[in-house]
Structures are given as C-alpha cells and as structure tokens.
Amino acid sequence: MSLLELARRRRTVRKFKRDAFPMEKLIKCVEVAKEAPSGINKQPWHFVLVNDPSKKREIRNACEEKEKELHSRVKGELKEWMERENITWKKEFLEEVPYLVMVFSDTRAPYSRESTWVAVGYFLLALEEEGLATVTYTPPPSRDIAKEVNAPPYYRLETILPVGYPASKGRKKERKRVEEVMSINTF
Amino acid sequence: MSLLELARRRRTVRKFKRDAFPMEKLIKCVEVAKEAPSGINKQPWHFVLVNDPSKKREIRNACEEKEKELHSRVKGELKEWMERENITWKKEFLEEVPYLVMVFSDTRAPYSRESTWVAVGYFLLALEEEGLATVTYTPPPSRDIAKEVNAPPYYRLETILPVGYPASKGRKKERKRVEEVMSINTF
C-alpha cells in the first residue's frame, strides 16, 4: 500500500473494542517512530506502553480530574466543537482500550517538542498499517498525569494514544483540497 | 515497501544536486501530509513551495541574517554539535535546491503546532517514498523570513524543507535501540 493510501485510510477513532492484540504490534510502531529525525539527533522521545488495568484507571482518573477543570473554562470555537462532537470531560477510552501509549518529550533537548511530534506522525501511520486505531489525545498540561508512570520532571507528556481496534465503521472527517493548504512562491 | 523500511531508509541530507524534479512530486507529498489529524480538524497547516530563484535567495539571506545572531549566542551541547557537524550560519542549501517547502501553522487553531508537526512527519516519509531528500531546517524565530512569502501575521513558520536529490551517499545517523526509548507500565 502506498503512503498516500495509508494516510487517506487513517481516521481518528474514539470508541474501541476491548479485544486484546499482541504487544509486538505496538513495538513495531515504536520501531518506525524512533527512525524520525530530531534536533541534533537527540531522539528526545520516550514511549510508555500501558496495559495494566489499574494503571489505566489511575491515568484515566488523573486525566478526568484535569479535564473537569478544563471543560469549566473552555469557550468559543473549541467549546462549540466539543458540544457538537459530544466530547465531555469523560475519557472512557483511557480505560477501555487494551493499551495506552504515553508519548513524552525530553525538554532538555533542542526542538524536543517538534521532533517528538514528527515521531508521533510516524507512529500514527504505523498504527494504521497494523490495522490499529487511536485518537491523538492531548491531556491538559499537568505533572500529576506524568507522575502516574514515574516520568522524570524534565520529560513532558505530549500525548496519550489509546490504541485498539475500532468499535465502529465511521467516516474519516473531510480534509481540505490540496489547493487550499498549498501555494507557490507566495502564501 | 513497508513503513518500517521507508522510515529506516530515510536520512537527513544537507547537500543536494541542483537537478530539477517535477512539482507534481511535491504536490503528492502535500496530499499525504494534509491527511494528518489535527486539533478539532482545523488542518492548521499551510505549505508554500518556492522555486523562484530570486525568492530562494531572499529567503536564504533573511535566514542567514538571523543565523549569524543565533550562532553568536549559541553555547553548550548545541554549539559543540554544530562545530562537530560543521554547521555554520551559512545555509547554501536554501538557495541551491530546486524547491524550498515552507511549512506554516495557523496559531489561531488549537494544538496548531503539534498538528503541523504531525503533518511534517507524514511529509518527510512521503518525500522518501518519492526518492527526494531534505533536512528539517528550523529557522531562528523571526517574522522577517515569513514576510518573504507574505505570510499573514497569525501564521508561524515552523520549518523550511529544502528538497532535492541527495548529492552524496552518506549514512543515516544511528538510532537508539527500541528498548532505550520504550518501557512498559512505568517510565
């Protein structure tokens, strides 16, 4: 399958089957992601794979705690979008999936965030190739969540990817046409 | 070719042939990149493809101006790395390649930087599939460079990707082993 087909097929999923899958599939995705380039080749990423049920519950609780605060403050277009998409402070997917993949960036490295998000891009495509689905969940900034997996203080939690098989067929959200996001020689 | 093979084959290149290539190849890469997920599906990225020689020269000059300032301040590990890799304020590659791809993020959108870097990850893999090479060059923060292509003030220049065929064979820099960047249930 070409990269274009893979990228087009990939869509965000927020409801997952509880069906287990072999950890080897995720390790293969990390093998892909860790090939990404990074500032002075520091490879400032760290992936924590979480399959322990009580750990998943604790992470969910820590996230929901912060989500409640966030949802009470959120406004404007983001609030409208959340209401339309039925996105609340509840994050069942953090507990109901076989695996959570917590992605950290080492803030001591130059361009650590940019580099780590490039690796996340690689990882998302790799999941798709494995037939697995996720949502790129960005938890509210908080040390409490990172502490659940004993992350050192200089590691920043960038995203938590709940990974599983999709529970529904669903449609990928529309993308703009290429002419709308690209121009030649001037913006 | 599997994604793992593609990701492993891809390496950063800083010396390019002047040989032209069809713009269609780059458009195909944008087609891949624009399939990336983004905060509330805002698709906050914009790609400017630059092949006009005088425009490339102006962008190079604007970048080198800022690089001179940066290089006079830089210290520690980054400075050592630059010396070892023979990286100076000079950015010939910004003028000598057939195309520059300037990638912007729309700062008005939520998670615009994270989303745009995921799209950059997609784009880098797409270039590799097309047999093209680049370096993920992050210019010093400056409105002057963005102004060269008339970017609106709320767009942030994230990276300039000089794209061409590699001028030398070279070796990919070593990556850590998967065990070094991954752990199970705890950091």
Side-chain angles (χ1 to χ4, degrees):
Chain A
M1 180 175 288
S2 76
L3 203 58
L4 185 58
E5 290 168 300
L6 198 66
R8 283 186 175 157
R9 198 181 68 180
R10 189 206 167 274
R11 66 182 181 89
T12 292
V13 165
R14 288 188 176 77
K15 293 270 184 193
F16 303 88
K17 293 181 184 164
R18 284 179 184 263
D19 307 23
F21 60 84
M23 193 192 282
E24 284 64 38
K25 278 179 171 270
L26 285 183
I27 297 175
K28 196 176 159 193
C29 296
V30 179
E31 292 272 15
V32 172
K34 81 177 182 68
E35 292 300 316
S38 57
I40 70 168
N41 194 34
K42 273 286 181 185
Q43 308 164 59
W45 38 68
H46 190 87
F47 297 81
V48 182
L49 317 186
V50 181
N51 64 351
D52 179 73
S54 65
K55 188 58 75 186
K56 283 190 280 181
R57 190 173 318 116
E58 284 163 19
I59 292 166
R60 175 188 174 173
N61 290 343
C63 288
E64 289 188 338
E65 191 81 21
K66 301 295 163 188
E67 286 285 349
K68 278 181 206 168
E69 290 168 33
L70 178 74
H71 276 258
S72 69
R73 290 198 304 271
V74 79
K75 53 190 178 182
E77 201 175 7
L78 184 55
K79 187 184 174 73
E80 285 165 30
W81 181 83
M82 283 173 163
E83 282 169 3
R84 200 163 59 240
E85 299 285 328
N86 203 21
I87 289 172
T88 70
W89 57 267
K90 287 191 193 134
K91 301 295 165 195
E92 294 93 340
F93 56 62
L94 294 175
E95 197 173 344
E96 293 171 353
V97 285
Y99 277 97
L100 300 178
V101 180
M102 299 175 81
V103 188
F104 292 86
S105 65
D106 183 343
T107 57
R108 298 168 302 178
Y111 307 106
S112 60
R113 302 200 60 203
E114 294 89 335
S115 307
T116 300
W117 282 96
V118 167
V120 170
Y122 277 43
F123 192 84
L124 295 178
L125 289 167
L127 285 178
E128 182 64 29
E129 197 180 48
E130 293 296 320
L132 293 167
T134 194
V135 48
T136 316
Y137 170 61
T138 40
S142 159
R143 276 295 303 158
D144 296 351
I145 306 167
K147 275 183 191 160
E148 293 291 344
V149 291
N150 306 308
Y154 41 86
Y155 273 86
R156 187 181 189 282
L157 177 59
E158 298 289 348
T159 180
I160 304 178
L161 305 169
V163 181
Y165 295 111
S168 62
K169 284 264 178 200
R171 256 170 61 96
K172 177 167 176 148
K173 283 203 193 304
E174 287 257 347
R175 295 297 187 267
K176 296 173 191 169
R177 285 172 299 112
V178 72
E179 302 79 19
E180 297 176 80
V181 296
M182 192 195 77
S183 54
I184 318 288
N185 286 315
T186 189
F187 200 102
Chain B
M1 180 175 289
S2 76
L3 202 58
L4 185 57
E5 290 169 299
L6 198 66
R8 283 186 175 158
R9 198 180 68 181
R10 191 207 165 273
R11 66 182 180 93
T12 292
V13 164
R14 288 188 175 80
K15 292 271 185 191
F16 303 88
K17 292 181 184 165
R18 284 179 184 264
D19 306 22
F21 60 84
M23 192 190 284
E24 284 65 36
K25 278 178 169 271
L26 285 183
I27 297 174
K28 196 176 160 195
C29 296
V30 179
E31 293 271 15
V32 172
K34 81 177 183 67
E35 293 299 316
S38 57
I40 70 171
N41 195 32
K42 273 286 181 183
Q43 306 163 62
W45 38 69
H46 190 87
F47 297 81
V48 182
L49 316 186
V50 181
N51 64 352
D52 179 71
S54 64
K55 188 57 74 187
K56 283 190 280 182
R57 190 171 319 117
E58 285 163 19
I59 292 165
R60 174 187 176 173
N61 290 343
C63 287
E64 290 188 337
E65 192 81 23
K66 301 294 162 190
E67 287 284 350
K68 278 180 207 169
E69 290 168 33
L70 178 73
H71 276 258
S72 69
R73 292 199 300 273
V74 80
K75 53 190 176 181
E77 202 176 8
L78 184 55
K79 187 184 174 74
E80 285 164 31
W81 181 83
M82 282 171 163
E83 283 169 2
R84 199 165 57 239
E85 299 287 327
N86 203 18
I87 289 172
T88 70
W89 57 267
K90 287 192 194 135
K91 301 295 165 195
E92 294 93 340
F93 56 63
L94 294 174
E95 197 173 343
E96 292 172 355
V97 283
Y99 277 97
L100 299 179
V101 180
M102 299 175 80
V103 188
F104 292 87
S105 65
D106 183 343
T107 57
R108 299 169 302 178
Y111 307 105
S112 60
R113 301 199 60 202
E114 293 89 336
S115 307
T116 300
W117 282 95
V118 168
V120 170
Y122 277 44
F123 192 84
L124 294 179
L125 288 168
L127 285 178
E128 182 63 29
E129 197 180 49
E130 293 296 320
L132 293 167
T134 195
V135 49
T136 317
Y137 171 61
T138 39
S142 159
R143 276 296 302 156
D144 297 350
I145 306 167
K147 275 184 191 158
E148 292 291 345
V149 290
N150 306 307
Y154 41 86
Y155 273 86
R156 186 180 190 285
L157 178 59
E158 298 288 350
T159 180
I160 304 178
L161 304 169
V163 181
Y165 295 110
S168 61
K169 286 261 177 198
R171 256 171 62 95
K172 176 168 176 147
K173 284 202 193 302
E174 288 257 346
R175 295 296 188 269
K176 297 172 191 169
R177 285 171 299 114
V178 72
E179 302 81 18
E180 296 177 80
V181 296
M182 193 195 77
S183 53
I184 318 289
N185 286 316
T186 189
F187 200 102

